[in-house]
Amino acid sequence: MFNLHRLILFYRSLFLTIGGLVVSLILIVLVLFPAVSGLRNLYKALPRLETEVAELEVKANLLAGVDPQVLQQNLLVLTSALPTEKSLPTILSTVEGVAGKTGATVVSIDLQGPGSLASESAVAHLPTSKFPAQRLTAEVMVRGEVEQLKEYLGLISKVRRLLTVAKFGLNTTNPANATLSLSVNAYYGALTDSSGALKLTPLSTEEENILSIVENLPSMSTFALTPAAPLGQVRDNPFAP
Amino acid sequence: MSLPTINLLKRSSRLPPVVLQWEKHLGRLTIYLWIFFLLSGILIGTSYLILRGRYNKLLASKISLTTEISNQSEKEALFLLVKARLNLISKIREASWSLDKLLAALTSFAPASTLRSLDGDEEKEINVVYQSGDLGEIAAIIQGLVVLSQERQIRNPELKSLTIAADEQIKLTVAFTPIL
């Protein structure tokens, strides 16, 4: 005991130095290193947060600048071009409407596999295909003068209800009574809402062009789509007229 | 009178020179480490405070903007629906062909009376049959198709058949793919 006390007294200054060294090393390891790590994490998180805030600012400004009435009108126009459901009446009336406009006569319309008449929400969805819209094919036979049929062929894919010609055959052997057989695709697709996405970009020039084109396409269908009820508004009495 | 005392322990002693040397080095190192710790602490602390302040400010902006946006969820939903619809329509339009331009091009060099049949399939190959009693008209049609090809309005023009019937009617069948 006496020897230990003596030893401590003898090497006192050396022990103090070593103690100071050990404490400084412990502080560096236990305080400084974690602090550096925390600072680095904060430094990394900042740009991400800045980007998010910038995107949210763009989104907020964009939403502040749009009129919901205009958006509803746009949506109505677009769903008249591409309905949410099969909308067989609009297909038939458009095919007839184009014939009426051109003076040709529709001889037959054969809808290929119209399938379920249930609304899209009631139909079990198939696994996602590459093409997000679904289509119905109608085989149409039209009769008339050559010029009428040419006009019909040109006009059928330039009407509000989105129809594309898959196949066609124009027979003009008898110019006064020529025939045109068409295979027309009519598209439809459910409304897909991806609300909550962080990024929201304004309509591009191309999108605005498409909107403008669709708006200006003549509507040949006699079936007008009624405006959809504004989202988020719930009627007090759903059975009220 | 106090009794005399004898202290047998030395009051001070000198450490061996090697230990003194070590002590000196270690002391210096300790001072450096403490200075390093303090300076780094100040630097890190200051940086942390600055960054944390900025982070908190951004976080507050994010919360405020998120609230602002969620108050306009109806508009957002409508806007996204419009965008999604436009995207779909754009894809469908890209896949469709404009037959009015094709018809205009085909009748630009051939009299309407010469056109006998016109077929198009899903591969967008067009087959056209022209018939005329005038060889000049048929030559003009062939020339017209060549011009359309040169102008890159059609590709792969192919003369499928050219027959002259007993009644001197010339029947020309051509196939091509429009780039319209």
Side-chain angles (χ1 to χ4, degrees):
Chain A
M1 189 68 190
F2 176 75
N3 282 343
L4 181 67
H5 186 66
R6 201 178 150 187
L7 189 75
I8 290 169
L9 277 176
F10 189 73
Y11 287 106
R12 186 178 50 199
S13 58
L14 184 65
F15 286 149
L16 282 173
T17 308
I18 291 171
L21 182 70
V22 170
V23 169
S24 66
L25 284 172
I26 288 171
L27 283 174
I28 287 169
V29 171
L30 294 183
V31 178
L32 222 52
F33 284 1
V36 169
S37 172
L39 189 69
R40 199 173 54 195
N41 288 342
L42 191 61
Y43 187 75
K44 276 184 187 169
L46 261 177
R48 248 184 290 136
L49 191 61
E50 277 172 344
T51 314
E52 278 182 31
V53 169
E55 282 170 357
L56 285 172
E57 269 175 4
V58 170
K59 191 172 174 176
N61 290 338
L62 182 64
L63 289 175
V66 293
D67 181 359
Q69 299 297 322
V70 173
L71 285 177
Q72 276 204 333
Q73 186 55 40
N74 289 345
L75 190 60
L76 186 66
V77 167
L78 294 172
T79 45
S80 67
L82 182 64
T84 54
E85 291 165 9
K86 287 168 187 154
S87 185
L88 301 181
T90 58
I91 301 171
L92 300 177
S93 63
T94 302
V95 168
E96 284 283 357
V98 175
K101 170 97 175 164
T102 56
T105 309
V106 176
V107 179
S108 67
I109 303 174
D110 179 13
L111 276 168
Q112 305 288 307
S116 171
L117 291 172
S119 64
E120 274 309 291
S121 52
V123 176
H125 281 276
L126 295 169
T128 47
S129 63
K130 279 183 186 173
F131 203 66
Q134 291 166 289
R135 69 184 186 197
L136 269 180
T137 304
E139 301 289 341
V140 183
M141 174 74 87
V142 190
R143 205 180 289 278
E145 292 173 16
V146 177
E147 287 309 313
Q148 290 171 341
L149 297 185
K150 279 185 190 168
E151 199 184 342
Y152 190 97
L153 198 52
L155 192 60
I156 191 72
S157 53
K158 292 208 177 294
V159 288
R160 177 73 69 82
R161 177 70 170 94
L162 205 54
L163 301 174
T164 58
V165 177
K167 287 189 286 185
F168 67 91
L170 174 67
N171 191 328
T172 62
T173 311
N174 180 359
N177 194 19
T179 55
L180 171 67
S181 57
L182 286 167
S183 185
V184 178
N185 289 329
Y187 296 88
Y188 63 98
L191 289 171
T192 49
D193 178 11
S194 54
S195 296
L198 182 65
K199 213 169 179 178
L200 198 66
T201 50
L203 291 185
S204 64
T205 317
E206 190 194 348
E207 285 170 332
E208 280 178 356
N209 283 344
I210 292 168
L211 184 60
S212 164
I213 289 168
V214 173
E215 269 176 334
N216 292 322
L217 286 173
S219 177
M220 294 290 169
S221 173
T222 48
F223 289 85
L225 288 168
T226 50
L231 294 175
Q233 287 184 14
V234 180
R235 292 167 66 190
D236 294 334
N237 180 4
F239 302 106
Chain B
M1 191 176 160
S2 62
L3 290 169
T5 57
I6 302 167
N7 188 0
L8 295 175
L9 290 171
K10 275 184 170 177
R11 276 198 172 273
S12 64
S13 62
R14 287 191 64 80
L15 290 167
V18 178
V19 176
L20 278 174
Q21 195 74 19
W22 270 101
E23 189 188 337
K24 194 179 162 189
H25 288 316
L26 287 174
R28 199 174 288 162
L29 182 64
T30 307
I31 289 167
Y32 288 155
L33 283 176
W34 274 101
I35 290 170
F36 170 74
F37 174 73
L38 290 173
L39 286 179
S40 304
I42 290 166
L43 191 69
I44 290 168
T46 313
S47 308
Y48 186 82
L49 283 176
I50 293 168
L51 290 180
R52 191 77 216 177
R54 173 116 185 90
Y55 187 85
N56 287 344
K57 201 176 161 188
L58 284 169
L59 205 60
S61 300
K62 185 183 171 181
I63 292 165
S64 148
L65 286 166
T66 309
T67 313
E68 194 184 322
I69 289 165
S70 59
N71 289 338
Q72 304 186 77
S73 56
E74 189 189 330
K75 268 196 216 177
E76 186 191 359
L78 275 171
F79 188 79
L80 287 169
L81 288 174
V82 167
K83 279 206 91 142
R85 221 68 192 153
L86 282 169
N87 184 31
L88 266 181
I89 291 174
S90 168
K91 282 180 182 163
I92 293 168
R93 284 177 58 82
E94 276 171 21
S96 74
W97 49 8
S98 30
L99 288 167
D100 53 344
K101 285 183 187 172
L102 173 70
L103 289 169
L106 284 180
T107 49
S108 63
F109 51 79
S113 59
T114 57
L115 184 69
R116 280 292 165 270
S117 75
L118 176 67
D119 299 288
D121 60 17
E122 281 175 344
E123 275 73 48
K124 293 192 174 175
E125 190 183 88
I126 302 280
N127 282 285
V128 195
V129 179
Y130 293 100
Q131 190 174 347
S132 172
D134 182 359
L135 189 61
E137 277 182 348
I138 295 294
I141 289 166
I142 293 170
Q143 182 59 32
L145 287 168
V146 170
V147 170
L148 281 184
S149 174
Q150 285 168 347
E151 289 173 352
R152 299 199 173 279
Q153 292 193 55
I154 60 169
R155 66 167 180 265
N156 304 330
E158 190 185 343
L159 187 63
K160 291 257 182 177
S161 71
L162 179 68
T163 52
I164 302 172
D167 57 356
E168 294 185 348
Q169 286 292 308
I170 307 162
K171 197 173 175 183
L172 172 74
T173 308
V174 286
F176 57 84
T177 308
I179 319 172
L180 293 169

